Amino acid sequence: MRLLLLTMGGGAIGAWVYVNEPGQSPWLPPCLFHELTGLHCPGCGNTRALHALLHGDIAAALSHNLLFLPMVACVALLAIRPRLAGNRWLCGTVAGTVILFFVMRNLPWFPFTLLAP
C-alpha cells in the first residue's frame, strides 16, 4: 500500500513538473533557503533536474544537481526495502554525502563552482 501511494504521489508530482517549467511557472517557487541566504542548499536545482530528466535530458539533470539521480535511487531503494532506513552505515553515508555536497557546492573556486545549479 505504501509503495502504491508513493508511486501515485511521485507520478502526480512528476506530471506537474513535466508540464510546468521551473523558473517560468508561478506554481513552482524558487528555493526559499537560497532566497534568504544566497547559499545553495543540497536540494537546490532538484525541480529543474526533475524537469530535465522527465524530458530525457540526463546531462542537464546532472548539471542542475549532481546528487539528484543518486537521491532518486536511494528513495526508490528505501521504498522497496524500508528496513534499510535503520541501517546506521547507510544513514551515515547519506548524511555525510549531503553535508559534504552542501559545503562543496558553495565554495567559490573551480572546480567546486561546477556543483552550483
Side-chain angles (χ1 to χ4, degrees):
M1 185 63 164
R2 183 184 323 178
L3 186 58
L4 176 64
L5 290 175
L6 185 65
T7 303
M8 288 174 54
I13 291 169
W16 187 261
V17 172
Y18 182 84
V19 175
N20 296 291
E21 185 166 351
Q24 307 297 324
S25 171
W27 303 107
L28 298 172
C31 177
L32 184 61
F33 182 80
H34 180 69
E35 293 288 316
L36 293 174
T37 66
L39 297 173
H40 299 291
C41 74
C44 278
N46 276 351
T47 308
R48 286 174 278 157
L50 177 60
H51 182 78
L53 186 64
L54 291 173
H55 286 274
D57 194 350
I58 295 172
L62 291 173
S63 74
H64 291 304
N65 191 326
L66 192 60
L67 281 186
F68 180 72
L69 290 177
M71 185 252 336
V72 169
C74 188
V75 168
L77 180 64
L78 289 174
I80 295 168
R81 298 195 182 260
R83 278 198 242 168
L84 286 176
N87 184 318
R88 286 184 173 176
W89 183 85
L90 179 64
C91 291
T93 301
V94 169
T97 301
V98 169
I99 291 168
L100 185 63
F101 182 66
F102 174 64
V103 171
M104 289 173 51
R105 80 183 321 199
N106 287 294
L107 294 175
W109 314 291
F110 183 82
F112 303 111
T113 53
L114 297 174
L115 296 175

